[in-house]
Amino acid sequence: MRSGPSDNLQGAARRAAGALPPLLARAERLAATVVLGEHGRRRAGIGEEFWQYRQAIPGDAAGAIDWRRSGRSDTAFVRQTEWSAAQTVTLNVDPALSMDYPEHGESKRTRAAVLACALSLLLVRGGERVGLAAPDLPPGAGRGQVDRIAGLLSGMTPHEDYCVPAMPDGRRGLLVALSDFLAPDPLLMPALDALAAQGQRVVLLQITDESEETFPFDGRTEFRSMSGALSFEAERARALRDGYRAKLAARRDMLRARSRSAGWSFATHRVQEPASRALLWLHRVIEGERR
């Protein structure tokens, strides 16, 4: 019996749902490693919720003094409210086929998806709004938004060998790009230039596999892209090691320099390293962006 469009859609939904619980479970465990504490996130600012009293200092306006609290002591006190301005964060999890490397063990794509979901959990728990750039998901708040993000990332079907970071049209806020940033220069450079020209605030985390850094290949070796469209056979792979590592270092130097000049943040992360280390860095950087 031939299946119709609705049958195909339901099948895709079931497959995506099947991958969703493991991804969210890992994200929950990872997010739990970053101990925030409610007090650690709170600070004085524009808002309605009472936070704390502090002693008045020279320069405080008379209208800022809480006279009822001050009347119970010999010291004047200012009533502070908690800053409640929500930040909007857009996650750009690289959808390229290159992120499926390595084919055995945890891939760069899996690590990026887990980090994105764990970061989303931390952000929405802190009252922030978070969305996706690819596939496009407008920013939202609450646990339901995290579920939507996990569902889209679990059901992602890559088509291109390499992709570049971009912010959806008309969207502002902070862009967090999780990628290997291995796209050819003619693709990557204009994308970075466009983000800088738009005045976007950007955080770049380059995710790699250890073998991409150490280049352990030797002897006769065939190198091919994840799609198989590009391939190259080397008689002595070791002879390529120094040149390859120099190009990787140059790419990182470029990303650091671009980030420095644009006021962005940049770091690297290997799949073999603890995911908690990268998550903690991401969260600290985003907190710093909010201040």
Side-chain angles (χ1 to χ4, degrees), residues 207-228:
I207 301 175
T208 61
D209 182 77
E210 187 175 39
S211 64
E212 292 177 309
E213 306 210 14
T214 60
F215 201 84
F217 312 105
D218 195 5
R220 188 185 184 91
T221 307
E222 181 185 10
F223 299 94
R224 57 181 176 81
S225 63
M226 296 304 295
S227 68

Side-chain angles (χ1 to χ4, degrees), residues 113-180:
V114 171
L115 284 172
C117 288
L119 183 59
S120 298
L121 283 166
L122 295 179
L123 291 173
V124 299
R125 287 171 185 171
E128 316 284 24
R129 301 172 69 250
V130 61
L132 285 177
D136 190 356
L137 175 67
R143 176 52 193 260
Q145 182 74 349
V146 178
D147 292 343
R148 287 185 283 274
I149 289 172
L152 288 171
L153 292 180
S154 297
M156 187 183 297
T157 303
H159 299 288
E160 304 293 334
D161 275 321
Y162 302 103
C163 295
V164 295
M167 181 72 99
D169 291 342
R171 193 178 301 181
R172 303 299 296 175
L174 180 66
L175 177 67
V176 177
L178 310 178
S179 171
D180 54 17

Side-chain angles (χ1 to χ4, degrees), residues 4-267:
S6 61
D7 296 326
N8 294 334
L9 183 60
Q10 291 173 3
R14 282 194 295 271
R15 289 191 295 274
L20 187 55
L23 176 58
L24 276 178
R26 283 194 60 186
E28 288 274 11
R29 290 195 297 270
L30 179 56
T33 66
V34 179
V35 180
L36 301 178
E38 186 63 22
H39 184 268
R41 285 194 51 82
R42 298 172 68 184
R43 51 192 169 273
I46 300 172
E48 298 179 355
E49 296 295 327
F50 170 73
W51 180 27
Q52 65 179 8
Y53 290 108
R54 67 164 174 81
Q55 289 188 10
I57 58 176
D60 282 333
I65 305 297
D66 189 299
W67 298 108
R68 178 176 296 181
R69 172 65 182 85
S70 302
R72 299 199 299 268
S73 69
D74 296 329
T75 303
F77 285 91
V78 171
R79 178 186 177 92
Q80 289 184 311
T81 55
E82 182 181 359
W83 185 25
S84 59
Q87 181 173 209
T88 297
V89 178
T90 295
L91 303 175
N92 194 145
V93 180
D94 192 340
L97 286 164
S98 66
M99 294 292 286
D100 286 330
Y101 184 84
E103 295 178 293
H104 304 289
E106 183 170 4
S107 68
K108 294 180 287 185
R109 181 184 311 286
T110 299
R111 177 57 59 90
V114 171
L115 284 172
C117 288
L119 183 59
S120 298
L121 283 166
L122 295 179
L123 291 173
V124 299
R125 287 171 185 171
E128 316 284 24
R129 301 172 69 250
V130 61
L132 285 177
D136 190 356
L137 175 67
R143 176 52 193 260
Q145 182 74 349
V146 178
D147 292 343
R148 287 185 283 274
I149 289 172
L152 288 171
L153 292 180
S154 297
M156 187 183 297
T157 303
H159 299 288
E160 304 293 334
D161 275 321
Y162 302 103
C163 295
V164 295
M167 181 72 99
D169 291 342
R171 193 178 301 181
R172 303 299 296 175
L174 180 66
L175 177 67
V176 177
L178 310 178
S179 171
D180 54 17
F181 297 107
L182 295 181
D185 286 350
L187 291 177
L188 182 59
M189 299 301 190
L192 297 178
D193 289 342
L195 289 173
Q198 295 163 9
Q200 297 288 356
R201 295 182 297 132
V202 182
V203 175
L204 306 177
L205 180 65
Q206 185 182 40
I207 301 175
T208 61
D209 182 77
E210 187 175 39
S211 64
E212 292 177 309
E213 306 210 14
T214 60
F215 201 84
F217 312 105
D218 195 5
R220 188 185 184 91
T221 307
E222 181 185 10
F223 299 94
R224 57 181 176 81
S225 63
M226 296 304 295
S227 68
L230 303 174
S231 63
F232 171 75
E233 187 171 319
E235 293 291 337
R236 293 184 301 119
R238 178 178 296 193
L240 304 176
R241 184 175 302 162
D242 290 345
Y244 167 83
R245 296 180 70 173
K247 285 192 173 183
L248 179 61
R251 172 58 61 90
R252 285 189 170 160
D253 288 343
M254 180 276 295
L255 291 170
R256 288 192 186 94
R258 293 276 181 126
S259 297
R260 193 179 306 114
S261 64
W264 302 344
S265 298
F266 170 73

